[in-house]
Amino acid sequence: MDDIKAAAAKHHEDAAHGFEVAAGMHHEAAKHCASGNFEKAEGLATSAAEAEGVANRHAMQAVDQYRHHADEVAARKAEAAGEDAARAAKHEAKAAAEK
């Protein structure tokens, strides 16, 4: 569980950092655009889009961590329920045999 928490938290931190970097590039691109330096603005906008792509990948990796964890929990619950049902059936069969 701690591994999942640490991994997901790291992905969130990396995503947040990527979005912060991208936001800074967008602000800088806006300044260059306003001053007519479209070539520089375009380069910054492209770099910002790439940073956003990396940030989105980190966000999706965090979501994947949650899904993987949920699948593991569901599998453990299903296994426990199956064991409980088998135990109950065994007790019922034993009780029926004793009658």
Side-chain angles (χ1 to χ4, degrees):
M1 179 68 151
D2 288 339
D3 291 342
I4 291 171
K5 285 192 236 177
K10 174 81 168 95
H11 287 304
H12 285 300
E13 289 296 330
D14 290 345
H17 177 71
F19 286 124
E20 290 166 358
V21 168
M25 288 182 198
H26 281 298
H27 285 295
E28 199 60 30
K31 290 177 190 175
H32 285 283
C33 181
S35 68
N37 189 351
F38 299 121
E39 188 175 320
K40 181 70 175 179
E42 179 185 7
L44 286 165
T46 300
S47 295
E50 291 168 357
E52 290 167 1
V54 171
N56 279 322
R57 272 195 302 280
H58 282 293
M60 289 309 300
Q61 287 171 328
V63 170
D64 288 343
Q65 289 285 324
Y66 300 137
R67 288 180 182 151
H68 179 69
H69 174 69
D71 290 345
E72 287 179 351
V73 169
R76 283 195 302 267
K77 285 182 179 179
E79 184 179 344
E83 290 171 358
D84 288 345
R87 226 180 342 269
K90 182 180 174 182
H91 289 303
E92 286 177 16
K94 186 178 178 181
E98 290 176 355
K99 286 185 180 180

